[in-house]
Amino acid sequence: MVQQVLYRALVSTKWLAESVRAGRLGPGLRVLDASWYSPGTREARKEYLERHVPGASFFDIEECRDRASPYEMMLPSKAGFADYVGSLGISNDTHVVVYDGDTSGSFYAPRVWWMFRVFGHRTVSVLNGGFRNWLKEGHPVTSEPSRPEPAVFKATLDRSLLKTYEQVLENLESKRFQLVDSRAQGRYLGTQPEPDAVGLDSGHIQGSINMPFMDFLMEDGFEKSPEELRAMFEAKKVDLAKPIIATCRKGVTACHIALAAYLCGKPDVAIYDGSWFEWFHRAPPETRVSQGKGGKA
């Protein structure tokens, strides 16, 4: 396992409330609301405009992605990411805190945490407990949109944290990486459908291990302790001393696996960005495992 001093991946609601109260938000500390919801459920930007952490900007994951890709939520280019976060007042010297408004406590925030890290930014944290607990604890909110002074962000792609279809395909033979899937068990097994999906059956990549991302969170929306997280990896026979690739449907909840491992002292979990959506459309049928539809997805 890599021995290095890791930047804190989580900050508490109490710490952020004190930072807001002390007027620390600015070029050195930026807060992002990274909420996203399935179409027809909730409207993330509308909710941000109604109430958010004072000083927070809205991080629109629909804007900050590769919109030319046929696959879901793929990473933007280095230049695209740099321009987007620079417009939010974020430079390479900024501590970024990310949260979302999901009822689980955290859903999309770890994806944005990983996006900053894959583009070379170390000083990024997730708000532990999310906006759900910020509200529950009575911390201040505002409807006033933030207008940060634009900054210059220089992005460098850390390829060790990102895996492609070709690399995952090669890994089926080499087995150098453990492949861990963060989707709910039914979707992984192929016994439950993929939500909001047309032409996408459920199932999983051959050889992958299932660790549903919701299991990393406590019922109150806070992240489980490193000791509990380590025991979860051990129970699934996932060795934190060896390389891991995390996957899901579109590279979002896979980032919860990366975050959980990071909290256990392992900062090098790579994300298969295309995940099941790309795999289903590109991979040989025998590598798509499902308990539905006669055993293949």
Side-chain angles (χ1 to χ4, degrees), residues 53-237:
V53 172
S57 295
F58 185 69
F59 185 101
D60 191 340
I61 206 153
E62 291 283 358
E63 293 264 331
C64 194
R65 65 183 177 93
D66 179 1
R67 288 190 277 183
S69 172
Y71 308 116
E72 298 179 307
M73 294 291 178
M74 299 291 276
L75 273 181
S77 66
K78 279 192 301 184
F81 184 81
D83 288 349
Y84 186 76
V85 302
S87 74
L88 300 178
I90 294 166
S91 75
N92 298 85
D93 298 320
T94 306
H95 176 196
V96 181
V97 174
V98 192
Y99 73 87
D100 64 62
D102 198 84
T103 54
S104 65
S106 183
F107 198 105
Y108 268 74
R111 167 72 180 187
V112 177
W113 169 82
W114 172 78
M115 287 172 75
F116 273 98
R117 293 181 59 243
V118 82
F119 282 120
H121 195 67
R122 214 176 125 261
T123 55
V124 58
S125 313
V126 171
L127 179 64
N128 195 11
F131 196 51
R132 164 188 166 182
N133 281 287
W134 180 269
L135 293 172
K136 183 181 172 186
E137 293 167 12
H139 298 303
V141 293
T142 183
S143 61
E144 188 178 329
S146 74
R147 295 182 177 82
E149 187 77 23
V152 175
F153 185 93
K154 289 185 171 65
T156 52
L157 183 63
D158 183 348
R159 293 192 178 275
S160 72
L161 297 178
L162 176 68
K163 295 298 172 194
T164 63
Y165 165 77
E166 290 78 14
Q167 289 170 310
V168 177
L169 189 64
E170 186 275 331
N171 190 67
L172 294 185
E173 295 296 323
S174 70
K175 295 182 170 56
R176 287 186 305 115
F177 289 82
Q178 304 160 95
L179 186 60
V180 186
D181 189 319
S182 66
R183 288 172 301 153
Q185 186 183 47
R187 291 165 59 189
Y188 167 85
L189 293 174
T191 56
Q192 291 177 343
E194 285 293 324
D196 308 315
V198 177
L200 178 69
D201 295 338
S202 55
H204 62 271
I205 301 169
Q206 177 188 326
S208 62
I209 300 160
N210 188 212
M211 291 188 75
F213 81 96
M214 289 295 292
D215 293 349
F216 296 123
L217 299 169
M218 297 189 291
E219 279 188 24
D220 58 7
F222 292 98
E223 193 81 17
K224 287 181 178 174
S225 70
E227 294 72 29
E228 291 172 292
L229 296 173
R230 263 188 218 101
M232 289 171 62
F233 283 111
E234 285 171 14
K236 292 284 185 171
K237 297 184 169 51

Side-chain angles (χ1 to χ4, degrees), residues 7-81:
Y7 197 79
R8 53 184 170 163
L10 299 176
V11 297
S12 69
T13 47
K14 182 181 175 185
W15 179 89
L16 184 57
E18 176 53 34
S19 297
V20 170
R21 191 161 46 245
R24 293 193 199 110
L25 271 64
L29 175 62
R30 297 288 189 200
V31 180
L32 302 177
D33 179 337
S35 303
W36 185 93
Y37 307 110
S38 296
T41 56
R42 296 167 60 182
E43 295 180 48
R45 187 181 287 276
K46 181 171 176 285
E47 290 188 23
Y48 164 80
L49 291 171
E50 288 167 355
R51 59 179 184 178
H52 53 265
V53 172
S57 295
F58 185 69
F59 185 101
D60 191 340
I61 206 153
E62 291 283 358
E63 293 264 331
C64 194
R65 65 183 177 93
D66 179 1
R67 288 190 277 183
S69 172
Y71 308 116
E72 298 179 307
M73 294 291 178
M74 299 291 276
L75 273 181
S77 66
K78 279 192 301 184
F81 184 81

